[in-house]
Amino acid sequence: MDLNEILSESWNFMMKLTEDVGNMIILFVLNLIPIVNLIVWGYGARIVRRGDSLSKPPKIENYVAAFIDGLKIVIVGLLYLLIPLIIFMGSFALVSGGWRALFSPMAFINLMLSGIGIVGVAFSVILGFLFLIIGAMGIIYMVKSNDLSRAFAVSEILDLIEETGWSKYLGWLIIMFILGVVIVIIGNVIPVSGARWIILSLFGVFYITLLARSAHHIYPRKKHVEEAEK
């Protein structure tokens, strides 16, 4: 499947959430509650893992197992972003501290530190995107194989991306990222905080379903067969 076909099929799959309103409401309520909403990410992992055996979003069940799957996803994501986040926070502190002390007796040194901080911030963003490229496929690989260690098997992950096709994979990542940003922007336009959280939670259920289904399709077809045979 090319990227257009993946997105089209995944969108149609996502819209079938509305065919089972009760299931959709349960997912929505779960997604409203911090920590508990990890179950919805685990639900997404189930969509990725079951792949072509699903013709529509499944009913949410096995809540504990779904929570554990969601927790694994969050932990792996945080581990991949840990180094870029540390660099970003340290660099940002240099920038803000340097500008605040710009008119102090050590203004030149503070200005130099601010410059180093700006470079550090830019570097952390680039590094974070590179880690995201590896980490996203690592998470899919972990879910598909049901093996946490595969999330960090970098050489295997790079082979998977190569098999998928770098242009298709990066195109998918960028589109999913943009959709996520758009949802956050739409949610934050709403002035009432309670209503904002409700809208973000509802959109989040649809987004996770779309992300999970498209992640299943972005995974190399050859690997689908291999994992299914295990």
Side-chain angles (χ1 to χ4, degrees), residues 29-50:
V29 172
L30 291 172
N31 207 35
L32 275 172
I33 308 169
I35 307 299
V36 174
N37 59 4
L38 291 178
I39 294 173
V40 183
W41 284 102
Y43 175 80
R46 193 166 296 160
I47 292 172
V48 174
R49 188 176 295 125
R50 292 179 61 181

Side-chain angles (χ1 to χ4, degrees), residues 28-141:
F28 165 60
V29 172
L30 291 172
N31 207 35
L32 275 172
I33 308 169
I35 307 299
V36 174
N37 59 4
L38 291 178
I39 294 173
V40 183
W41 284 102
Y43 175 80
R46 193 166 296 160
I47 292 172
V48 174
R49 188 176 295 125
R50 292 179 61 181
D52 291 336
S53 67
L54 295 174
S55 60
K56 62 181 181 179
K59 284 187 175 294
I60 178 66
E61 55 186 5
N62 298 327
Y63 293 84
V64 174
F67 179 84
I68 293 171
D69 279 338
L71 184 61
K72 288 179 182 177
I73 291 172
V74 170
I75 290 173
V76 170
L78 288 175
L79 287 175
Y80 265 104
L81 293 177
L82 182 61
I83 294 176
L85 280 173
I86 291 173
I87 295 173
F88 178 85
M89 288 187 293
S91 300
F92 187 78
L94 284 177
V95 174
S96 59
W99 282 109
R100 281 199 304 267
L102 186 59
F103 299 104
S104 71
M106 300 180 66
F108 178 71
I109 294 176
N110 291 326
L111 189 60
M112 284 183 59
L113 290 175
S114 293
I116 294 171
I118 291 171
V119 172
V121 168
F123 175 72
S124 68
V125 171
I126 294 170
L127 187 64
F129 183 71
L130 292 176
F131 277 30
L132 174 64
I133 292 172
I134 305 299
M137 182 60 83
I139 289 172
I140 299 171
Y141 192 22

